Amino acid sequence: MEMKNFVCLNDGSGTKVDVRTGAESAIDLTLVSDSLAGICSWQVVKETTIGSDHYPIMTMIEFSIEKRDVRGVKQWCFRDADWDTFRLVSDQEMQKIDMNVGVDELNYFICKAVLEVASRVMKRKDGRGEKKIVPWWTQECDKVIKYRNRAFKTLKNNHSFQNFIEYKRLQAKVKRTIKSAKRDFWRGFCNSVGRETRIQNIWSMIRRMNGMKRECDYPILRDGDIIAVTDEEKANVLAKTFVKVLNCGSGNVSEEGRRGKDMTIAENRGLLDLVGDTDNSLNILFTKTELHRVLQKSKLSAPGKDQVCYTMLNQLSESAKDLLLGLYNRVWEGGKLPQSWKEAVVVPIRKPGKDVTNPGNFRPIALTSHVCKVMERMITERLTYYLETRGFISKYQSGFRRGRNTMDPVLCLEHEVTKAQTNSESVVAVFFDIEKAYDMMWRDGLLIKLCKLGIRGRMYGWIMDFLKGQHIQVRIGKVFSERFLVENGTPQGSIVSPLLFSLMIDDVFNDIEAGVGCSLFADDGAIWKRGKNIEYIVKKLQGTIRRVEEWSYKWGFKFSVDKTKVMFFTRKRVGKDVKLKLYDQELERVSKFKFLGLWFDERLTWAAHIQKVVDKCKKVLNIMRCLVGSDWGADRKSLRVIHWVGQITVGLWVCNI
């Protein structure tokens, strides 16, 4: 305890009781760090044992923490909305808007009119209400537990055989009541399962039955010497952490990276001045057809700070949509976006398996204006068509492309390894990982690449203004952090961000040597080479890695040495001295690796992946066992749907390998 700086808070009071004799013993210890020991108080609650033979122990830390509202932001109830009234009234309100004002004022008036009408025709509910810890809990459970606790107090005051028997009888009744409540509730739920029931809902109910719930609250955060306790402090600490990564001036870029960026700017200095129109199909005004197509594709998602949702925009009358289209074309012609479109509300999401007290272990998800996202989608469709029809996207890039998916890179690598095994050859593969890919994207570098692709005029001006002047605010519950300017990266959650990122990383493998295979799916890249001489393969791959390093310096990216892995697909013995390096650091060699959802092993037996699939299917089978009984449970059709979704589809996907 002295080595770990722990302090025991026990004062000698008994923590366990023998209900037969009334004797107490102190066998439960409470240990805290020495920094907390001085402000902690310790007490044994002997009024009840909560059904156990151990007393509850209450440890209090004397922090002055304000009580906060745990409910989230209110959500719109679209299910009960009167859309006919919404279209009629919104049309009347939108006709009052003056189109001759600036784009900021015009966007404000449109959003204000939509929200005012929406508040009349639909209600809003709290994002998180008060819920029972377990769904099966009933008033009968409260009643029998109350009687058991009363019997325990009687036993403590008068330790007689009769009181002991009464306490044990009520304790057994509590167990029977809880077991019966669980069984009745679960049978009722199983009887309600139908073909429309999603498997996610079944898994959620299983977790809730066991008292497991999704942890939505944020723990106390520690950033160096700063300890964030209140929601406001947590929001500001997380916001500053995200901004450190996003902004260039925080020391994220190495000296080689700075020199590479400066060289790139010097080589393309005159290119950025040529911003005239080059392709009319990219820069023409948006049409009503484009707007309708985008609104029909929109799905229900969390809105930005203005609280305007896709559903509201989709339900507008035709004349109101004409006004909305007028706003988009005003922005398109002027090349200046409303400032509210550049305000992102960031919701921190925990990274699984990481220390939740470290603010660096949260992923920023940006919630931006849906009014802006509609325009982003129209621009994305135009830009994608332009790039695809002219062949500007590399053939080895499979991410965010129509008709391409994760199986394309997987099959390319699998084909190469299979061919090597047939010819008694070996394949060495390197799987790359980019550090904070979206957050570290160099904006000026992206603009240079857009110019090289001939993207000028209104399209170039819109993207340039979209990337500059972005601000973020972190939201914890209903509390917002301060506003921070973002100098780098592209918002995660934005519609156009994946396409812009794909353009930025598209040429990462353009300069590799002939004979070296490669694949790219968004930021998941891999290179490999096949041959009989492993030493020669490693030498060639090391040269390719150096070219990838030079590309990363030039365009402001950094590959993660810890997450980049090497795998040898061979039946030969490879010595431990055969290694590859990235940034002069040795890369870890692994015997299996999960590449785009599939587990590869050194001999391509798929044993690891098949075992993962078998484990997944067993979970689905366990669900089906829980859902069926001799005289209760889900019907036959529902079980067949669950079996198909959970097991057959997984098996068919594996068969595609």
PDB file of all heavy atoms in Angstrom, residues 250-270:
ATOM      1  N   SER A 250      -0.131  23.739 -32.877  1.00  0.00           N
ATOM      2  CA  SER A 250      -0.045  23.075 -31.569  1.00  0.00           C
ATOM      3  C   SER A 250       1.048  22.026 -31.503  1.00  0.00           C
ATOM      4  O   SER A 250       1.093  21.222 -30.600  1.00  0.00           O
ATOM      5  CB  SER A 250      -1.394  22.426 -31.239  1.00  0.00           C
ATOM      6  OG  SER A 250      -1.754  21.524 -32.253  1.00  0.00           O
ATOM      7  N   GLY A 251       1.945  22.018 -32.479  1.00  0.00           N
ATOM      8  CA  GLY A 251       3.070  21.097 -32.438  1.00  0.00           C
ATOM      9  C   GLY A 251       2.786  19.731 -32.958  1.00  0.00           C
ATOM     10  O   GLY A 251       3.522  18.783 -32.668  1.00  0.00           O
ATOM     11  N   ASN A 252       1.713  19.568 -33.743  1.00  0.00           N
ATOM     12  CA  ASN A 252       1.382  18.241 -34.255  1.00  0.00           C
ATOM     13  C   ASN A 252       2.252  17.843 -35.443  1.00  0.00           C
ATOM     14  O   ASN A 252       2.403  16.664 -35.733  1.00  0.00           O
ATOM     15  CB  ASN A 252      -0.097  18.206 -34.674  1.00  0.00           C
ATOM     16  CG  ASN A 252      -1.023  18.341 -33.481  1.00  0.00           C
ATOM     17  OD1 ASN A 252      -0.875  17.632 -32.509  1.00  0.00           O
ATOM     18  ND2 ASN A 252      -1.952  19.272 -33.560  1.00  0.00           N
ATOM     19  N   VAL A 253       2.795  18.831 -36.166  1.00  0.00           N
ATOM     20  CA  VAL A 253       3.531  18.557 -37.389  1.00  0.00           C
ATOM     21  C   VAL A 253       5.020  18.567 -37.082  1.00  0.00           C
ATOM     22  O   VAL A 253       5.536  19.477 -36.419  1.00  0.00           O
ATOM     23  CB  VAL A 253       3.189  19.595 -38.479  1.00  0.00           C
ATOM     24  CG1 VAL A 253       3.891  19.257 -39.779  1.00  0.00           C
ATOM     25  CG2 VAL A 253       1.682  19.656 -38.687  1.00  0.00           C
ATOM     26  N   SER A 254       5.751  17.567 -37.575  1.00  0.00           N
ATOM     27  CA  SER A 254       7.193  17.487 -37.358  1.00  0.00           C
ATOM     28  C   SER A 254       7.911  18.513 -38.228  1.00  0.00           C
ATOM     29  O   SER A 254       7.321  19.149 -39.116  1.00  0.00           O
ATOM     30  CB  SER A 254       7.689  16.079 -37.688  1.00  0.00           C
ATOM     31  OG  SER A 254       7.470  15.801 -39.060  1.00  0.00           O
ATOM     32  N   GLU A 255       9.216  18.659 -37.996  1.00  0.00           N
ATOM     33  CA  GLU A 255      10.003  19.602 -38.786  1.00  0.00           C
ATOM     34  C   GLU A 255      10.041  19.188 -40.246  1.00  0.00           C
ATOM     35  O   GLU A 255       9.958  20.035 -41.152  1.00  0.00           O
ATOM     36  CB  GLU A 255      11.426  19.686 -38.211  1.00  0.00           C
ATOM     37  CG  GLU A 255      12.266  20.789 -38.825  1.00  0.00           C
ATOM     38  CD  GLU A 255      11.688  22.176 -38.579  1.00  0.00           C
ATOM     39  OE1 GLU A 255      11.057  22.381 -37.527  1.00  0.00           O
ATOM     40  OE2 GLU A 255      11.857  23.038 -39.465  1.00  0.00           O
ATOM     41  N   GLU A 256      10.157  17.872 -40.504  1.00  0.00           N
ATOM     42  CA  GLU A 256      10.118  17.399 -41.895  1.00  0.00           C
ATOM     43  C   GLU A 256       8.772  17.707 -42.540  1.00  0.00           C
ATOM     44  O   GLU A 256       8.708  18.059 -43.723  1.00  0.00           O
ATOM     45  CB  GLU A 256      10.389  15.893 -41.945  1.00  0.00           C
ATOM     46  CG  GLU A 256      11.786  15.482 -41.537  1.00  0.00           C
ATOM     47  CD  GLU A 256      11.901  15.287 -40.032  1.00  0.00           C
ATOM     48  OE1 GLU A 256      10.943  15.681 -39.306  1.00  0.00           O
ATOM     49  OE2 GLU A 256      12.933  14.764 -39.571  1.00  0.00           O
ATOM     50  N   GLY A 257       7.702  17.585 -41.749  1.00  0.00           N
ATOM     51  CA  GLY A 257       6.375  17.895 -42.276  1.00  0.00           C
ATOM     52  C   GLY A 257       6.220  19.360 -42.628  1.00  0.00           C
ATOM     53  O   GLY A 257       5.624  19.707 -43.655  1.00  0.00           O
ATOM     54  N   ARG A 258       6.778  20.250 -41.790  1.00  0.00           N
ATOM     55  CA  ARG A 258       6.695  21.683 -42.098  1.00  0.00           C
ATOM     56  C   ARG A 258       7.483  22.017 -43.363  1.00  0.00           C
ATOM     57  O   ARG A 258       7.019  22.803 -44.205  1.00  0.00           O
ATOM     58  CB  ARG A 258       7.231  22.497 -40.918  1.00  0.00           C
ATOM     59  CG  ARG A 258       6.349  22.444 -39.677  1.00  0.00           C
ATOM     60  CD  ARG A 258       6.809  23.473 -38.651  1.00  0.00           C
ATOM     61  NE  ARG A 258       5.965  23.433 -37.471  1.00  0.00           N
ATOM     62  CZ  ARG A 258       6.208  22.716 -36.402  1.00  0.00           C
ATOM     63  NH1 ARG A 258       7.294  21.950 -36.356  1.00  0.00           N
ATOM     64  NH2 ARG A 258       5.399  22.740 -35.362  1.00  0.00           N
ATOM     65  N   ARG A 259       8.651  21.437 -43.471  1.00  0.00           N
ATOM     66  CA  ARG A 259       9.444  21.701 -44.682  1.00  0.00           C
ATOM     67  C   ARG A 259       8.746  21.170 -45.924  1.00  0.00           C
ATOM     68  O   ARG A 259       8.756  21.797 -46.985  1.00  0.00           O
ATOM     69  CB  ARG A 259      10.829  21.064 -44.548  1.00  0.00           C
ATOM     70  CG  ARG A 259      11.747  21.784 -43.585  1.00  0.00           C
ATOM     71  CD  ARG A 259      13.200  21.402 -43.836  1.00  0.00           C
ATOM     72  NE  ARG A 259      13.419  19.978 -43.643  1.00  0.00           N
ATOM     73  CZ  ARG A 259      13.826  19.440 -42.504  1.00  0.00           C
ATOM     74  NH1 ARG A 259      14.054  20.211 -41.444  1.00  0.00           N
ATOM     75  NH2 ARG A 259      14.028  18.143 -42.397  1.00  0.00           N
ATOM     76  N   GLY A 260       8.097  19.982 -45.784  1.00  0.00           N
ATOM     77  CA  GLY A 260       7.377  19.418 -46.917  1.00  0.00           C
ATOM     78  C   GLY A 260       6.202  20.291 -47.338  1.00  0.00           C
ATOM     79  O   GLY A 260       5.963  20.492 -48.535  1.00  0.00           O
ATOM     80  N   LYS A 261       5.467  20.831 -46.373  1.00  0.00           N
ATOM     81  CA  LYS A 261       4.358  21.720 -46.703  1.00  0.00           C
ATOM     82  C   LYS A 261       4.848  22.987 -47.390  1.00  0.00           C
ATOM     83  O   LYS A 261       4.255  23.440 -48.384  1.00  0.00           O
ATOM     84  CB  LYS A 261       3.590  22.080 -45.427  1.00  0.00           C
ATOM     85  CG  LYS A 261       2.705  20.983 -44.879  1.00  0.00           C
ATOM     86  CD  LYS A 261       1.923  21.511 -43.677  1.00  0.00           C
ATOM     87  CE  LYS A 261       0.949  20.479 -43.161  1.00  0.00           C
ATOM     88  NZ  LYS A 261       0.157  20.991 -42.017  1.00  0.00           N
ATOM     89  N   ASP A 262       5.914  23.573 -46.847  1.00  0.00           N
ATOM     90  CA  ASP A 262       6.451  24.798 -47.452  1.00  0.00           C
ATOM     91  C   ASP A 262       6.887  24.549 -48.887  1.00  0.00           C
ATOM     92  O   ASP A 262       6.679  25.396 -49.771  1.00  0.00           O
ATOM     93  CB  ASP A 262       7.621  25.320 -46.621  1.00  0.00           C
ATOM     94  CG  ASP A 262       7.186  25.789 -45.238  1.00  0.00           C
ATOM     95  OD1 ASP A 262       5.973  26.079 -45.077  1.00  0.00           O
ATOM     96  OD2 ASP A 262       8.039  25.849 -44.325  1.00  0.00           O
ATOM     97  N   MET A 263       7.491  23.396 -49.135  1.00  0.00           N
ATOM     98  CA  MET A 263       7.923  23.068 -50.487  1.00  0.00           C
ATOM     99  C   MET A 263       6.721  22.893 -51.418  1.00  0.00           C
ATOM    100  O   MET A 263       6.746  23.331 -52.580  1.00  0.00           O
ATOM    101  CB  MET A 263       8.779  21.792 -50.463  1.00  0.00           C
ATOM    102  CG  MET A 263       9.430  21.440 -51.792  1.00  0.00           C
ATOM    103  SD  MET A 263      10.444  19.945 -51.659  1.00  0.00           S
ATOM    104  CE  MET A 263      11.645  20.498 -50.439  1.00  0.00           C
ATOM    105  N   THR A 264       5.672  22.262 -50.920  1.00  0.00           N
ATOM    106  CA  THR A 264       4.472  22.076 -51.738  1.00  0.00           C
ATOM    107  C   THR A 264       3.850  23.414 -52.109  1.00  0.00           C
ATOM    108  O   THR A 264       3.430  23.629 -53.260  1.00  0.00           O
ATOM    109  CB  THR A 264       3.452  21.223 -50.976  1.00  0.00           C
ATOM    110  OG1 THR A 264       4.041  19.963 -50.643  1.00  0.00           O
ATOM    111  CG2 THR A 264       2.205  20.977 -51.824  1.00  0.00           C
ATOM    112  N   ILE A 265       3.782  24.331 -51.140  1.00  0.00           N
ATOM    113  CA  ILE A 265       3.217  25.655 -51.425  1.00  0.00           C
ATOM    114  C   ILE A 265       4.088  26.407 -52.422  1.00  0.00           C
ATOM    115  O   ILE A 265       3.579  27.068 -53.349  1.00  0.00           O
ATOM    116  CB  ILE A 265       3.071  26.452 -50.115  1.00  0.00           C
ATOM    117  CG1 ILE A 265       2.001  25.798 -49.225  1.00  0.00           C
ATOM    118  CG2 ILE A 265       2.697  27.902 -50.400  1.00  0.00           C
ATOM    119  CD1 ILE A 265       1.864  26.446 -47.866  1.00  0.00           C
ATOM    120  N   ALA A 266       5.417  26.303 -52.266  1.00  0.00           N
ATOM    121  CA  ALA A 266       6.318  26.999 -53.186  1.00  0.00           C
ATOM    122  C   ALA A 266       6.182  26.460 -54.612  1.00  0.00           C
ATOM    123  O   ALA A 266       6.229  27.226 -55.587  1.00  0.00           O
ATOM    124  CB  ALA A 266       7.755  26.865 -52.699  1.00  0.00           C
ATOM    125  N   GLU A 267       6.013  25.154 -54.755  1.00  0.00           N
ATOM    126  CA  GLU A 267       5.890  24.567 -56.089  1.00  0.00           C
ATOM    127  C   GLU A 267       4.572  24.916 -56.771  1.00  0.00           C
ATOM    128  O   GLU A 267       4.489  24.905 -57.999  1.00  0.00           O
ATOM    129  CB  GLU A 267       6.018  23.042 -55.983  1.00  0.00           C
ATOM    130  CG  GLU A 267       7.398  22.557 -55.578  1.00  0.00           C
ATOM    131  CD  GLU A 267       7.430  21.059 -55.352  1.00  0.00           C
ATOM    132  OE1 GLU A 267       6.335  20.443 -55.397  1.00  0.00           O
ATOM    133  OE2 GLU A 267       8.523  20.509 -55.116  1.00  0.00           O
ATOM    134  N   ASN A 268       3.552  25.226 -55.998  1.00  0.00           N
ATOM    135  CA  ASN A 268       2.223  25.465 -56.574  1.00  0.00           C
ATOM    136  C   ASN A 268       1.710  26.869 -56.248  1.00  0.00           C
ATOM    137  O   ASN A 268       0.505  27.092 -56.187  1.00  0.00           O
ATOM    138  CB  ASN A 268       1.235  24.433 -56.039  1.00  0.00           C
ATOM    139  CG  ASN A 268       1.622  23.009 -56.358  1.00  0.00           C
ATOM    140  OD1 ASN A 268       1.363  22.500 -57.433  1.00  0.00           O
ATOM    141  ND2 ASN A 268       2.271  22.353 -55.390  1.00  0.00           N
ATOM    142  N   ARG A 269       2.643  27.815 -56.045  1.00  0.00           N
ATOM    143  CA  ARG A 269       2.231  29.146 -55.635  1.00  0.00           C
ATOM    144  C   ARG A 269       1.350  29.825 -56.685  1.00  0.00           C
ATOM    145  O   ARG A 269       0.338  30.442 -56.376  1.00  0.00           O
ATOM    146  CB  ARG A 269       3.468  30.011 -55.361  1.00  0.00           C
ATOM    147  CG  ARG A 269       3.145  31.319 -54.657  1.00  0.00           C
ATOM    148  CD  ARG A 269       4.417  32.052 -54.287  1.00  0.00           C
ATOM    149  NE  ARG A 269       5.263  31.251 -53.430  1.00  0.00           N
ATOM    150  CZ  ARG A 269       5.106  31.144 -52.110  1.00  0.00           C
ATOM    151  NH1 ARG A 269       4.109  31.775 -51.524  1.00  0.00           N
ATOM    152  NH2 ARG A 269       5.932  30.422 -51.396  1.00  0.00           N
ATOM    153  N   GLY A 270       1.694  29.717 -57.944  1.00  0.00           N
ATOM    154  CA  GLY A 270       0.911  30.371 -58.984  1.00  0.00           C
ATOM    155  C   GLY A 270      -0.380  29.662 -59.315  1.00  0.00           C
ATOM    156  O   GLY A 270      -1.283  30.249 -59.910  1.00  0.00           O
TER     157      GLY A 270
END
